[in-house]
Amino acid sequence: MSSIEIQNVSKYFQRKAPGTTATVTALEEVNLSVGHGEFLTLVGPSGCGKSTLLDILAGLSEPDAGQVLVDGEAISGPGLERSVVFQQYALFPWKTAAANVEVGLESLARGRRDLGRKQRRERAVEYLRLVGLEGFEDRYPSELSGGMRQRVAIARALAHEPKVLLMDEPFAALDAQTREQLQELLLQIWKRTGTTIIFITHGIEEAIYLGQRVAVMSGRPGRIQRIISIDLEHRDTEDDVRSTTEFGRYRHEIWNLLHASADSIGAKAGQPELALAGAAA
Ligand SMILES: Nc1ncnc2c1ncn2[C@@H]1O[C@H](COP(=O)(O)OP(=O)(O)OP(=O)(O)O)[C@@H](O)[C@H]1O
């Protein structure tokens, strides 16, 4: 597990239109600390820069100002200590579930004798078992349901035992029941592995259910508006914790923050209904 420091991160994009170039400020002076082994969720209105921030954390893009430190070291690109799970499963359709997980292990195996073909297979099987896919090792992605494919993607991300797991709306494409099952599974895995997790979502309930803290972003330019610590007293005893009063209070607080933020984006764009559609999802 690792700690992450996001320090004064800003990111700009140039948007070209005939005859002009406009600068879009996707992120402005974002500051956020995530502790060793913490599960932090990040919510914000559509277009506020969540994916841009995750790409920077993954090392897939660079900030225009500021920096990201992992365990005190500035990152300068992708690294094996950080794994990413995206909304789309991004599996190789011509490889079996086990082979897809093994792909993630190949770069780790370079120069290591203890991670040959046989050991990679064993580790892939072990992680498929962890995500509940024992017996499905030889299935191709087209033979798996959406939820199962996302389980394979999670197994692949975890198999090289990263210190940080970055997740960009990983369950957004799944039906409600499968999403709840995978949320439960992810919490179990997190408790077992202690991996530091940053999880982006549009869903307020998902953010509260999973996160120890929820970082709420404001609309464009994206900033951290508020960080809310989630202390669900009945999390372990209550079957349906989402229906409790305390859960409802958090939901209402975050909903208000997002709506205030979406109203201001909508007012700027002259299209309040569009802005709200993103925030309320
Ligand atoms: N490559 C790019 N070129 C130009 N603008 C971009 C680029 N990538 C993102 N943007 C802009 O930056 C802003 C933030 O985008 P981003 O995708 O990070 O938002 P988001 O919060 O993840 O949105 P959503 O919740 O809808 O997925 C948006 O205004 C988007 O249009």
Side-chain angles (χ1 to χ4, degrees):
M1 57 180 120
S2 289
S3 66
I4 301 164
E5 290 282 337
I6 300 169
Q7 297 180 334
N8 296 315
V9 163
S10 299
K11 180 78 182 176
Y12 313 102
F13 291 109
Q14 304 299 326
R15 192 173 285 152
K16 290 194 174 69
T20 61
T21 303
T23 300
V24 177
T25 305
L27 296 171
E28 190 164 78
E29 300 204 354
V30 171
N31 287 286
L32 183 63
S33 297
V34 184
H36 288 274
E38 184 177 2
F39 197 140
L40 180 116
T41 50
L42 191 69
V43 281
S46 191
C48 74
K50 300 182 294 295
S51 296
T52 302
L53 184 60
L54 198 103
D55 284 351
I56 291 172
L57 291 167
L60 300 173
S61 104
E62 283 183 19
D64 292 306
Q67 61 177 355
V68 175
L69 308 180
V70 174
D71 290 336
E73 298 255 336
I75 60 166
S76 58
L80 284 172
E81 82 287 0
R82 280 162 285 137
S83 256
V84 192
V85 179
F86 295 104
Q87 180 178 336
Q88 293 306 331
Y89 328 109
L91 301 178
F92 295 111
W94 61 89
K95 286 183 182 280
T96 63
N100 265 288
V101 177
E102 284 172 56
V103 169
L105 292 169
E106 278 164 14
S107 39
L108 186 67
R110 267 178 222 126
R112 276 181 59 173
R113 290 186 171 191
D114 60 336
L115 210 52
R117 192 178 280 261
K118 182 168 169 280
Q119 287 88 349
R120 292 205 295 273
R121 174 77 191 193
E122 282 168 4
R123 200 170 316 173
V125 170
E126 177 193 336
Y127 276 87
L128 284 171
R129 190 181 310 131
L130 181 72
V131 298
L133 285 182
E134 192 171 7
F136 292 88
E137 297 84 358
D138 296 324
R139 298 277 187 97
Y140 288 90
S142 61
E143 299 172 310
L144 300 172
S145 68
M148 288 167 138
R149 287 182 214 169
Q150 200 54 303
R151 284 171 194 252
V152 177
I154 293 171
R156 182 177 58 189
L158 288 171
H160 59 79
E161 296 170 355
K163 293 176 179 168
V164 177
L165 187 58
L166 303 167
M167 308 187 87
D168 193 354
E169 300 192 46
F171 307 149
L174 306 175
D175 63 83
Q177 208 180 340
T178 308
R179 194 180 314 143
E180 283 192 14
Q181 281 170 358
L182 286 195
Q183 288 168 354
E184 196 55 54
L185 175 74
L186 184 63
L187 277 181
Q188 284 167 14
I189 290 173
W190 170 66
K191 284 178 190 159
R192 220 160 119 181
T193 59
T195 311
T196 306
I197 300 182
I198 298 185
F199 185 108
I200 286 180
T201 176
H202 267 120
I204 299 174
E205 293 198 358
E206 184 167 68
I208 300 165
Y209 185 71
L210 292 175
Q212 290 178 298
R213 289 189 303 153
V214 179
V216 183
M217 287 184 75
S218 59
R220 260 173 276 155
R223 293 198 183 102
I224 303 295
Q225 183 182 177
R226 186 87 54 91
I227 298 175
I228 297 167
S229 292
I230 306 295
D231 183 13
L232 289 171
E233 200 186 327
H234 301 105
R235 190 196 277 279
D236 294 330
T237 51
E238 177 64 56
D239 276 346
D240 185 11
V241 73
R242 294 172 182 83
S243 302
T244 60
T245 315
E246 49 183 350
F247 197 98
R249 266 200 303 271
Y250 286 123
R251 192 189 177 288
H252 188 63
E253 183 181 358
I254 296 171
W255 188 90
N256 277 336
L257 287 167
L258 290 177
H259 266 239
S261 173
D263 281 343
S264 73
I265 309 175
K268 276 185 225 157
Q271 291 176 299
E273 67 291 350
L274 286 184
L276 280 171

